[in-house]
Protein backbone atom coordinates (compact mmCIF):
# COMPACT_ATOMS: atom_id res chain seq x y z
CA UNK A 1 0.00 0.00 0.00
CA UNK A 2 1.18 3.53 -0.78
CA UNK A 3 2.20 5.62 2.15
CA UNK A 4 -0.12 8.58 2.55
CA UNK A 5 0.38 11.74 4.52
CA UNK A 6 -2.38 14.09 5.59
CA UNK A 7 -2.20 17.84 5.51
CA UNK A 8 -4.89 20.19 6.77
CA UNK A 9 -5.53 22.61 3.94
CA UNK A 10 -7.16 26.00 4.30
CA UNK A 11 -8.80 27.39 1.18
CA UNK A 12 -10.83 30.53 0.67
CA UNK A 13 -14.52 29.64 0.65
CA UNK A 14 -14.97 30.65 -2.99
CA UNK A 15 -12.03 28.52 -4.12
CA UNK A 16 -13.25 25.49 -2.17
CA UNK A 17 -16.70 25.92 -3.70
CA UNK A 18 -15.18 26.04 -7.20
CA UNK A 19 -13.10 22.92 -6.50
CA UNK A 20 -16.15 21.13 -5.08
CA UNK A 21 -18.20 22.00 -8.18
CA UNK A 22 -15.51 20.81 -10.61
CA UNK A 23 -14.89 17.65 -8.59
CA UNK A 24 -18.59 16.84 -8.57
CA UNK A 25 -18.80 17.42 -12.35
CA UNK A 26 -15.76 15.21 -12.92
CA UNK A 27 -16.98 12.51 -10.57
CA UNK A 28 -13.96 12.77 -8.26
CA UNK A 29 -13.39 13.82 -4.69
CA UNK A 30 -12.01 17.15 -3.59
CA UNK A 31 -9.02 15.24 -2.24
CA UNK A 32 -8.34 13.67 -5.65
CA UNK A 33 -8.68 17.06 -7.34
CA UNK A 34 -6.26 18.76 -4.95
CA UNK A 35 -3.77 15.88 -5.14
CA UNK A 36 -3.84 16.00 -8.94
CA UNK A 37 -3.47 19.79 -8.98
CA UNK A 38 -0.46 19.59 -6.67
CA UNK A 39 1.07 16.81 -8.78
CA UNK A 40 0.62 18.87 -11.95
CA UNK A 41 2.26 21.90 -10.34
CA UNK A 42 5.20 19.84 -9.05
CA UNK A 43 5.61 18.28 -12.50
CA UNK A 44 5.58 21.68 -14.21
CA UNK A 45 8.17 23.06 -11.79
CA UNK A 46 10.41 19.99 -12.15
CA UNK A 47 10.14 20.21 -15.95
CA UNK A 48 11.08 23.88 -15.93
CA UNK A 49 14.00 23.09 -13.62
CA UNK A 50 15.16 20.27 -15.94
CA UNK A 51 15.11 22.45 -19.06
CA UNK A 52 16.81 25.32 -17.24
CA UNK A 53 19.66 22.97 -16.26
CA UNK A 54 19.93 21.72 -19.86
CA UNK A 55 19.94 25.32 -21.13
CA UNK A 56 22.92 26.07 -18.91
CA UNK A 57 24.77 23.07 -20.40
CA UNK A 58 23.92 23.91 -24.01
CA UNK A 59 26.57 24.78 -26.58
CA UNK A 60 24.60 27.28 -28.65
CA UNK A 61 27.36 27.83 -31.20
CA UNK A 62 27.68 24.09 -31.87
CA UNK A 63 23.91 23.82 -32.35
CA UNK A 64 23.92 26.76 -34.77
CA UNK A 65 26.74 25.16 -36.77
CA UNK A 66 24.66 21.98 -37.11
CA UNK A 67 21.66 23.99 -38.28
CA UNK A 68 23.76 25.92 -40.83
CA UNK A 69 25.56 22.93 -42.35
CA UNK A 70 24.87 21.75 -45.86
CA UNK A 71 22.13 19.20 -46.12
CA UNK A 72 22.60 15.52 -46.76
CA UNK A 73 21.01 13.54 -49.53
CA UNK A 74 17.88 14.82 -51.21
CA UNK A 75 14.76 12.74 -50.57
CA UNK A 76 14.09 9.77 -52.84
CA UNK A 77 11.33 10.23 -55.37
CA UNK A 78 9.21 7.61 -53.57
CA UNK A 79 9.61 9.22 -50.14
CA UNK A 80 6.35 10.38 -48.66
CA UNK A 81 3.24 9.18 -46.96
CA UNK A 82 1.72 5.91 -48.09
CA UNK A 83 -1.41 6.32 -50.23
CA UNK A 84 -4.63 6.64 -48.28
CA UNK A 85 -7.19 3.86 -48.47
CA UNK A 86 -10.42 5.12 -49.98
Amino acid sequence: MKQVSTYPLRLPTSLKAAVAKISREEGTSINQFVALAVAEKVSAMKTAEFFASKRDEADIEAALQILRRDGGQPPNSDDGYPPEDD
Side-chain angles (χ1 to χ4, degrees):
M1 181 176 172
K2 292 182 193 176
Q3 290 203 353
V4 178
S5 176
T6 60
Y7 178 80
L9 180 64
R10 293 183 184 99
L11 293 173
T13 303
S14 60
L15 182 56
K16 182 178 182 277
V19 168
K21 181 177 186 279
I22 293 169
S23 295
R24 201 170 34 256
E25 291 169 355
E26 295 293 318
T28 64
S29 68
I30 291 174
N31 186 68
Q32 288 173 308
F33 180 91
V34 171
L36 180 60
V38 170
E40 287 177 359
K41 181 65 176 184
V42 168
S43 176
M45 293 177 77
K46 290 286 196 182
T47 300
E49 186 179 291
F50 171 80
F51 283 110
S53 73
K54 294 301 175 189
R55 177 195 61 220
D56 295 341
E57 299 170 6
D59 185 343
I60 301 299
E61 193 50 45
L64 290 174
Q65 285 178 357
I66 291 170
L67 292 172
R68 291 185 193 122
R69 71 180 181 202
D70 289 337
Q73 300 295 321
N76 294 331
S77 60
D78 61 345
D79 279 350
Y81 293 109
E84 290 186 29
D85 294 331
D86 290 325

